[in-house]
Amino acid sequence: MSYNWKRVVVKVGSALISPNKIGCSSHYLLSIAQFIVKCRAMGTQVVLVSSGSVAAGAHQFSDHEKSEIAVKKAMAAAGQTEMIATWDRLFDFPSAQILLTHADLRDRERYISIRETIFSLLEHEILPIINENDTVTTDKLKVGDNDNLSAMVAAAADADALIICSDVDGLYDKNPNEHDDAKLLSWVDNIDQSIYDMAGGAVAGGVGTGGMRTKIEAAEKAVSHGIDTFIVNGFTETTFNLLLDGKNPGTHFQAHDKPMKENIHWMRHTSNAQGEVIVESDFAASLESEAEQLTSSEIIDVKGEFSVGDTILVRKDDGTKLVKARSNYSSCLLNFIAKQDNEEFAQEFEKKTGPIISNKHIANLEKE
Ligand code: GLU
């Protein structure tokens, strides 16, 4: 019995690609490549999210430069070609490189373009290989780790499953390096604080940027989009044989049976709020169904700078988060209209300009 996935995203970390940090090695990639080949033969489309450019490029730079950000970016640029070439050699079908930043993913139009490109590549049986575009990222523009990136990609690609290849067998109830009696959790149906507590904050392996925590964040994003997520040990061939047999080799995070709609998921998990709108504490608890009812008279403050179309966070003045939504007004205009003493003028203005936030792109945050 197999899992019967139509589309799967496989995330591979730096430690698998560059285990000795001296260029790329196909040692651990062979069984992953075999898995990808077999999935495709079974009719499952595969998208690969691969880290490893920084680790692969590092050996071309002298030691004393390595900690500088600009040098790290140069290492990523130099290592990316080597990493793609290493993957490409393992397949007898074409692959395609996609480099993304968070700025690309949070912009709705670019996001749609990424989706369509992935669909088109898959339709033409080309393997998309995705990494963060480290050259052009800044703190504000980066996803930061490929675990979260892989979940955003899985959502964009409408995948059924996300397989995160790690250097441990999955999520343990306590740190297996410190506790001999640590137990592997094979099944998680609800990601709550206790799961994050088990994950701790440690960075596994030390080659990539993610640890168990970012893997849980990724799982949370993915399952809410209806994507079954697995954290597995990418270093052993058995992992992939088990997956092909429809058996769980690590930790399986169960997909929600009522997943969020694609646009709501994007707003909730991919788009970043560029600013905040603070409303009265007694403002209606849920804006989701009544988004268009937010009027300037309810606004106490507007924070940050945003443009029309940017995502904003609406909070009560006691700090409670209400919704993330797409703003139809710039921060400048919203400030101007919210500060009007003349309510009639404000109402007339809004009638002409339209609702402040629209029902189409809104995600409820009340449970946070
Ligand atoms: N983009 C980074 C690289 O290719 C990886 C980030 C990560 O390890 O999560 O080296």
Side-chain angles (χ1 to χ4, degrees):
M1 250 257 318
S2 67
Y3 274 118
N4 260 338
W5 295 315
K6 190 171 164 285
R7 191 169 298 146
V8 57
V9 171
V10 180
K11 187 262 165 179
V12 178
S14 306
L16 283 158
I17 291 163
S18 185
N20 306 319
K21 300 182 217 170
I22 36 169
C24 291
S25 154
S26 47
H27 187 84
Y28 296 111
L29 305 191
L30 278 168
S31 45
I32 301 173
Q34 278 285 328
F35 174 70
I36 294 173
V37 169
K38 286 182 184 159
C39 279
R40 287 170 53 114
M42 283 160 51
T44 303
Q45 295 177 327
V46 182
V47 175
L48 181 59
V49 173
S50 181
S51 310
S53 61
V54 175
H59 67 111
Q60 298 177 41
F61 295 77
S62 60
D63 269 353
H64 65 276
E65 297 162 334
K66 283 185 181 169
S67 56
E68 280 174 42
I69 294 290
V71 177
K72 275 213 167 124
K73 290 183 177 207
M75 276 155 53
Q80 179 68 22
T81 47
E82 196 175 330
M83 189 256 275
I84 289 285
T86 306
W87 278 118
D88 205 50
R89 269 199 298 276
L90 300 175
F91 302 117
D92 59 1
F93 44 77
S95 62
Q97 169 183 273
I98 302 181
L99 294 174
L100 299 176
T101 66
H102 194 259
D104 301 321
L105 289 158
R106 71 164 190 235
D107 179 293
R108 189 70 193 158
E109 278 173 30
R110 290 196 229 172
Y111 182 82
I112 302 282
S113 160
I114 294 162
R115 250 167 92 76
E116 286 170 355
T117 304
I118 294 174
F119 293 153
S120 178
L121 287 168
L122 292 173
E123 210 175 290
H124 291 85
E125 297 182 7
I126 299 168
L127 173 74
I129 305 180
I130 302 177
N131 193 5
E132 184 151 18
N133 190 349
D134 295 312
T135 308
V136 296
T137 55
T138 59
D139 277 349
K140 252 180 100 179
L141 302 182
K142 71 177 164 202
V143 180
D145 65 89
N146 276 7
D147 296 322
N148 275 291
L149 179 72
S150 68
M152 293 173 189
V153 165
D158 286 343
D160 308 296
L162 167 64
I163 298 164
I164 301 178
C165 299
S166 172
D167 56 357
V168 285
D169 291 342
L171 176 67
Y172 285 84
D173 60 352
K174 43 191 150 180
N175 188 338
N177 298 324
E178 289 165 14
H179 303 271
D180 290 342
D181 60 341
K183 281 193 198 70
L184 180 73
L185 272 74
S186 56
W187 179 261
V188 176
D189 58 4
N190 180 31
I191 301 177
D192 56 16
Q193 189 52 43
S194 69
I195 297 294
Y196 278 101
D197 292 343
M198 287 176 203
V203 170
V207 185
T209 51
M212 193 47 81
R213 189 182 168 82
T214 54
K215 291 177 178 49
I216 305 294
E217 287 169 2
E220 190 177 1
K221 286 189 173 73
V223 295
S224 68
H225 199 268
I227 301 167
D228 277 298
T229 302
F230 296 77
I231 298 179
V232 299
N233 191 334
F235 286 83
T236 64
E237 205 184 331
T238 331
T239 294
F240 301 102
N241 295 335
L242 285 168
L243 282 169
L244 288 167
D245 279 351
K247 292 184 186 125
N248 164 29
T251 305
H252 179 176
F253 297 84
Q254 194 191 357
H256 291 183
D257 51 4
K258 282 195 198 122
M260 287 178 198
K261 279 204 245 140
E262 185 277 321
N263 59 337
I264 306 286
H265 188 274
W266 171 82
M267 176 62 74
R268 172 86 165 71
H269 288 300
T270 304
S271 168
N272 259 354
Q274 305 297 300
E276 290 188 9
V277 168
I278 317 292
V279 295
E280 309 269 359
S281 287
D282 58 359
F283 189 71
S286 173
L287 274 168
E288 196 152 13
S289 53
E290 296 138 26
E292 298 194 357
Q293 289 178 12
L294 175 68
T295 63
S296 57
S297 60
E298 275 118 5
I299 297 176
I300 302 176
D301 198 8
V302 177
K303 291 185 173 165
E305 275 177 32
F306 49 89
S307 314
V308 177
D310 279 349
T311 298
I312 52 167
L313 180 65
V314 181
R315 323 179 167 256
K316 292 191 192 181
D317 62 353
D318 64 5
T320 321
K321 291 178 187 170
L322 284 174
V323 293
K324 251 164 111 184
R326 183 183 161 125
S327 178
N328 291 332
Y329 286 53
S330 68
S331 49
C332 193
L333 190 56
L334 205 50
N335 249 316
F336 167 75
I337 198 77
K339 287 194 176 125
Q340 284 298 320
D341 291 331
N342 184 341
E343 221 168 277
E344 226 171 274
F345 171 80
Q347 276 169 8
E348 214 35 52
F349 189 92
E350 279 170 52
K351 219 188 273 168
K352 286 215 174 81
T353 320
I356 295 173
I357 52 180
S358 74
N359 268 334
K360 246 171 119 190
H361 297 293
I362 187 156
N364 204 332
L365 303 174
E366 278 170 84
K367 283 192 203 114
E368 280 199 353

